[in-house]
Amino acid sequence: KQNNLMNHPAVYFWRNIEIEQIKKVMAKYNLSQPILDLGCAEGQIADLLFRGKGIVGLDNNLFFLEQNQYKDTYRKLVNASACSMPFKMQSFGLVFSNSVIEHILELDKVLNEVSRVLKIGGKFIFTAPSQKFKEYLLFSWVRGYGNWRNRWLSHYHCYSHNEWAKFLLKHNLSL
């Protein structure tokens, strides 16, 4: 059994702010279906954002997929890697990913796959910590704490807005 870090009060506080921001971004666009939740985990975020939309959840962790199988959030759950998705080209109008891609070493493969499975005109909405993550930690003043925290959380990609734009452009995606 895995420890669920989502139950910490600070996480609830942060996730509430994050979800409100995601809703504001999504409201700006005419988002088409079907929707892929890339790295769906336990489905809490998708349930709040997409309840009733019959989305597809993808995760490489069977524990999380098993937690989702009795929920109404997903119409389909897929156990696969984000680096090699078992979907046809242009399958999704929206690929959503909340705090996932920063944990995947092979970022180019993930972005290539997102680009491949998105319909023309589709949207990729994702969240990831920026290069400023270390600065905003409670103990940021402790030497080396930010680097330790990123390693502990397996954050491989904490980039600036401009750096993300370059990564996305390389895969025919735009910020």
Side-chain angles (χ1 to χ4, degrees), residues 4 7 12 15 19 22 43 51 74 115 148 151 156 171:
N4 189 352
N7 292 329
Y12 282 121
R15 290 293 185 202
I19 288 166
I22 293 167
R51 183 177 290 157
Y74 300 99
S115 181
W148 173 83
R151 281 191 311 277
Y156 302 113
H171 298 279

Side-chain angles (χ1 to χ4, degrees), residues 55-87:
I55 65 176
V56 174
L58 180 135
D59 207 294
N60 66 352
N61 187 316
L62 279 173
F63 175 80
F64 287 136
L65 292 177
E66 288 169 359
Q67 286 184 329
N68 283 314
Q69 67 185 356
Y70 300 109
K71 295 179 182 176
D72 294 334
T73 305
Y74 300 99
R75 71 172 166 83
K76 183 177 181 182
L77 293 165
V78 177
N79 180 232
S81 168
C83 297
S84 181
M85 296 185 226
F87 306 115

Side-chain angles (χ1 to χ4, degrees), residues 26 31-37 50 92-96 118-119 122-125:
M26 290 191 324
L31 301 174
S32 63
Q33 295 187 19
I35 299 169
L36 173 64
D37 183 6
F50 305 113
F92 297 97
L94 170 64
V95 175
F96 174 77
L118 265 178
K119 291 179 179 180
K123 303 292 182 218
F124 175 37
I125 297 177

